[in-house]
Amino acid sequence: MLNSFDSLHLAMFSGKGGVGKSTLSSAFACRWAKQFPNDRILLLSTDPAHSLGDVLQMEVSNTAQTIESLPNLSVRALDAELLLKDFKAEYGEILERLVERGSFVGQGDLASVWELGWSGLDELMGILEIQRLLRDRVVDRIVVDMAPSGHTLALFNLMEFLEEFLSALELFQLKHRTMSEAFTGRYTPDEVDLFLESMRRDLTDGRQLLQDSARSACFVVAIAEWLSLLESQRLIKALEALKIPFGGVFLNQVHAEREELVRKFQEIADPVLTFSQQSQEPIGIAALDRLITTHSEFVPSAIPIAPSQSLPDFILEQRKLILVGGKGGVGKTTVAAAIALNLAQQHPDRKIRVISIDPAHSLGDAFGTQLGHEPTDILPNLSAQEVDARTLLDRFREEYLWELADMMSGKTQDESLQIAYTPEAWRKIMAQALPGIDEMLALLEVMELLESNAQDLIILDTAPTGHLLRFLEMPSVLTDWLTWIFKLWLKYQNVAGHTELMSRLRTLRLRIIKTHKQLQNAEHTEFIGVVQARSTIFAETERLVRSLEPLQIHQRFIVNNRATQRLEEFAGKTVVNLPNAPSDLAPMAQIEKISEWLIAPNSIASLVSFNPQSQI
């Protein structure tokens, strides 16, 4: 079956977080390297919280590193900030000149923009770099270890964003060309025209590559669980809508008890390649080779342990915001839903809201009901919501972006101050779902809920690690961008106008600063990490814990989900060991069972010492 994919030159692996994308993409790349010894193979991660180094047991950075035993295979994890630096060095001056031609600002005003935080940079730089590598024939074949489903789709959707962004830049240049011809009677194409022609050609070629089933395919990695099945089904449909060729499902960690779910996967996808659960975690080249080339016997599921120490009653502790996060697929949604259900049942007089800000929502799947942007009542005092970025973006455009586009183009209410540029090009830019917009809008939604005091407790089911950190960094990023806009407006206020807009943006900035302080207040906000006993998950979680410290996010607890051995302490945090709920229970029944284990009043069991290194 794997031989049928050997004609491809771009193999992309995505799916729900934590299902083994890094493991199977690494194994697939190793197989290609052996199958095609004369081809240059690149294993590339676009996930900001990648695990390639943990899987391959080697250092992985933005510089491609050759694997000693496979000299034609190199491994690289994109560093978006370094790529932006290179992009600025090559094209920065041209882009600044283009924006200058399409607005009232001077080129010097734009230099500091490159230093601001760029949410969504991982996806943007990822799609541009994949195009460049194949265009310049740096390698012959690329295997991409992608971010989880929601952010994979954001990357693919960037093709549409880049199309509209390029159209806006072409309008800026058209205006410049028209004015030059009007004043001089002629126009001589310059390097900006050459840049736009090159970008248009690259964009066309990139879209054709991604949509060419003879050269490219996206494989959906999954595990035989209901939440993974439902998310995989949505991802497959989304790929079809985007005209991205679907290569098949790589069903990982299959064991005998999950045969019914395997059949469910076979009903929604073809082909479905199954990879049996391994007796030991597949780490290193030899283990990856065995995984991809052999079909081992089913391994019986480990016997779950009894639940141990419970989480505290966050209502009694007067917390207002609980963030639940970790590597994709560890059970963040389940834990968030269970905490919400337990506290709502214990405190029927308190209002609790659980919200998913992961673009690949599965909160509704966990509760066994359909959820949307508007909150749905689960209990009289418990509501659940899956944030819809499109709905929030429409509102944000009406409140700020359309008028900001008018201001940047020079359009004011004073006819005597009108500048010749029309806002059409800027509106093209603002009309797109800008990279990283999910995190920004989620922050604003949470901010409004906290300000309203309509809920006694909000529990956030967050995106996987890399994009969770992007969300937590968003207050600083937004504050920096607003500060830059204010400085620009003060310099050109006699021309820019839009005083009332600036007043509203100042108010927005003050609200963001207040929310940032609340996120850093240990008596207001708490982060709960979720892990499973796998070395790649332990390694990523340790990095996450370290990353939260400079962000001043308070954390006391780690939930060891689906525990088969007790974990006493991890990364200096108290561990709550949580067994797996019976798989034959309906989704809501599973959440109810887990909620009983997770926050059991006056039930604190002793923990058995356990060294996570013993699991590696």
Side-chain angles (χ1 to χ4, degrees):
M1 177 64 75
L2 290 171
N3 293 336
S4 63
F5 308 132
D6 287 345
S7 61
L8 301 175
H9 288 266
L10 178 61
M12 300 168 285
F13 286 77
S14 186
K16 185 175 174 61
V19 294
K21 296 184 300 295
S22 296
T23 299
L24 284 169
S25 60
S26 297
F28 190 92
C30 290
R31 178 190 171 277
W32 257 5
K34 292 180 178 181
Q35 194 81 359
F36 304 102
N38 296 322
D39 283 1
R40 297 162 298 173
I41 315 293
L42 175 65
L43 173 59
L44 180 72
S45 178
T46 61
D47 189 343
H50 68 88
S51 300
L52 288 184
D54 302 324
V55 171
L56 295 167
Q57 299 290 278
M58 62 182 288
E59 290 292 325
V60 177
S61 68
N62 190 58
T63 302
Q65 303 287 333
T66 301
I67 294 179
E68 185 175 350
S69 60
L70 295 169
N72 65 324
L73 173 60
S74 54
V75 186
R76 179 184 175 193
L78 292 185
D79 185 321
E81 292 185 1
L82 289 178
L83 288 172
L84 178 64
K85 184 177 180 180
D86 294 341
F87 188 81
K88 175 191 174 185
E90 187 169 1
Y91 300 119
E93 191 274 336
I94 292 176
L95 284 169
E96 289 170 22
R97 200 188 315 172
L98 265 168
V99 175
E100 181 186 33
R101 291 172 178 179
S103 70
F104 59 79
V105 301
Q107 196 169 336
D109 299 313
L110 300 167
S112 61
V113 170
W114 298 99
E115 310 305 323
L116 298 176
W118 286 61
S119 183
L121 191 61
D122 303 290
E123 289 92 348
L124 182 58
M125 291 293 104
I127 197 69
L128 292 176
E129 185 65 1
I130 290 171
Q131 286 183 217
R132 184 193 71 82
L133 290 168
L134 290 171
R135 178 198 67 202
D136 295 347
R137 300 186 183 280
V138 176
V139 293
D140 299 302
R141 299 167 184 261
I142 300 178
V143 179
V144 187
D145 170 34
M146 308 189 79
S149 306
H151 293 91
T152 290
L153 294 176
L155 184 147
F156 289 145
N157 277 308
L158 273 177
M159 299 302 293
E160 191 66 32
F161 167 77
L162 290 173
E163 180 83 37
E164 291 300 318
F165 183 72
L166 187 57
S167 296
L169 296 181
E170 288 169 341
L171 282 176
F172 293 163
Q173 184 68 355
L174 175 61
K175 192 68 179 182
H176 168 73
R177 188 181 304 124
T178 301
M179 292 180 67
S180 296
E181 290 173 346
F183 284 107
T184 67
R186 61 186 176 84
Y187 175 74
T188 303
D190 60 14
E191 60 181 331
V192 174
D193 293 285
L194 296 177
F195 165 76
L196 291 172
E197 290 174 7
S198 173
M199 288 294 290
R200 175 64 66 185
R201 184 170 55 251
D202 287 350
L203 183 60
T204 301
D205 291 346
R207 186 187 291 275
Q208 289 176 349
L209 170 65
L210 286 177
Q211 296 180 342
D212 184 356
S213 59
R215 293 186 292 167
S216 304
C218 183
F219 299 97
V220 175
V221 183
I223 55 177
E225 293 184 352
W226 279 106
L227 294 187
S228 181
L229 171 68
L230 295 170
E231 184 165 323
S232 299
Q233 191 169 19
R234 289 191 291 268
L235 177 56
I236 293 168
K237 289 181 179 178
L239 292 174
E240 182 180 359
L242 290 166
K243 299 181 181 178
I244 304 294
F246 165 61
V249 169
F250 279 42
L251 195 56
N252 196 22
Q253 302 172 25
V254 175
H255 54 80
E257 296 177 3
R258 302 289 173 154
E259 289 182 3
E260 180 183 351
L261 277 167
V262 173
R263 287 193 291 270
K264 293 288 185 183
F265 272 97
Q266 291 170 336
E267 291 173 7
I268 68 165
D270 182 41
V272 175
L273 285 74
T274 58
F275 298 88
S276 297
Q277 183 169 311
Q278 305 292 294
S279 56
Q280 293 184 328
E281 194 171 352
I283 298 294
I285 301 297
L288 294 173
D289 184 52
R290 288 193 298 271
L291 175 67
I292 201 74
T293 58
T294 63
H295 296 278
S296 58
E297 296 297 320
F298 285 138
V299 177
S301 298
I303 300 173
I305 64 166
S308 61
Q309 170 154 345
S310 58
L311 293 171
D313 188 320
F314 295 111
I315 292 288
L316 295 181
E317 291 190 341
Q318 299 184 332
R319 297 291 184 270
K320 296 296 182 183
L321 179 64
I322 302 295
L323 308 171
V324 181
K327 184 175 176 63
V330 293
K332 299 183 300 294
T333 300
T334 299
V335 170
I339 292 172
L341 182 64
N342 180 290
L343 293 176
Q345 290 173 333
Q346 287 197 60
H347 301 278
D349 59 331
R350 301 297 183 92
K351 292 183 178 180
I352 296 171
R353 172 82 51 86
V354 57
I355 305 173
S356 169
I357 60 171
D358 187 342
H361 301 294
S362 56
L363 186 60
D365 299 335
F367 281 121
T369 190
Q370 186 77 26
L371 294 180
H373 183 72
E374 296 301 321
T376 297
D377 287 339
I378 305 299
L379 297 175
N381 66 323
L382 172 61
S383 56
Q385 175 184 0
E386 293 180 340
V387 168
D388 177 26
R390 187 179 298 275
T391 299
L392 293 176
L393 181 56
D394 287 342
R395 189 172 72 194
F396 193 68
R397 287 189 184 115
E398 293 299 326
E399 292 179 354
Y400 303 106
L401 294 185
W402 293 140
E403 193 171 349
L404 186 61
D406 289 346
M407 188 189 83
M408 291 302 295
S409 67
K411 182 178 179 181
T412 73
Q413 298 302 314
D414 188 341
E415 292 296 330
S416 66
L417 294 177
Q418 289 292 355
I419 295 178
Y421 305 121
T422 66
E424 180 184 354
W426 284 100
R427 283 183 167 250
K428 274 183 173 288
I429 294 173
M430 301 300 183
Q432 295 305 299
L434 306 173
I437 199 75
D438 295 317
E439 288 82 7
M440 183 190 79
L441 296 173
L443 172 68
L444 297 180
E445 178 75 359
V446 171
M447 186 169 68
E448 289 186 7
L449 284 169
L450 290 172
E451 289 172 344
S452 70
N453 290 317
Q455 303 295 322
D456 295 293
L457 178 66
I458 297 170
I459 299 162
L460 288 189
D461 170 29
T462 68
T465 305
H467 297 91
L468 163 65
L469 291 173
R470 220 158 69 173
F471 168 77
L472 295 173
E473 292 164 355
M474 188 54 63
S476 296
V477 171
L478 273 177
T479 301
D480 289 344
W481 273 98
L482 288 171
T483 300
W484 177 78
I485 291 173
F486 296 147
K487 288 180 179 178
L488 199 64
W489 183 81
L490 286 171
K491 182 176 180 180
Y492 296 101
Q493 58 184 304
N494 292 333
V495 174
H498 296 277
T499 304
E500 194 271 335
L501 171 64
M502 288 300 105
S503 177
R504 283 188 283 121
L505 287 176
R506 286 193 189 94
T507 301
L508 175 63
R509 181 175 179 272
L510 292 175
R511 293 169 58 206
I512 291 169
I513 291 172
K514 179 182 177 182
T515 301
H516 197 185
K517 290 179 179 178
Q518 290 174 325
L519 286 173
Q520 295 176 329
N521 181 354
E523 295 181 356
H524 183 281
T525 302
E526 180 150 352
F527 177 80
I528 298 172
V530 184
V531 301
Q532 290 182 29
R534 298 215 305 269
S535 63
T536 53
I537 295 174
F538 286 142
E540 183 170 314
T541 304
E542 287 178 344
R543 292 191 290 267
L544 173 59
V545 170
R546 290 196 299 269
S547 297
L548 292 177
E549 292 174 358
L551 293 172
Q552 300 179 52
I553 304 298
H554 177 61
Q555 179 183 9
R556 291 180 292 169
F557 298 100
I558 294 278
V559 174
N560 181 26
N561 193 25
R562 300 171 185 160
T564 56
Q565 294 190 49
R566 288 182 180 172
L567 181 62
E568 180 178 0
E569 181 271 347
F570 181 79
K573 309 302 176 186
T574 300
V575 176
V576 175
N577 292 293
L578 185 65
N580 204 7
S583 59
D584 57 344
L585 292 178
M588 187 62 178
Q590 288 192 19
I591 297 300
E592 290 173 345
K593 174 60 68 176
I594 291 169
S595 74
E596 294 171 6
W597 294 334
L598 202 52
I599 307 179
N602 304 316
S603 173
I604 301 179
S606 60
L607 295 171
V608 177
S609 178
F610 171 59
N611 180 2
Q613 296 299 319
S614 67
Q615 289 289 296
I616 300 175

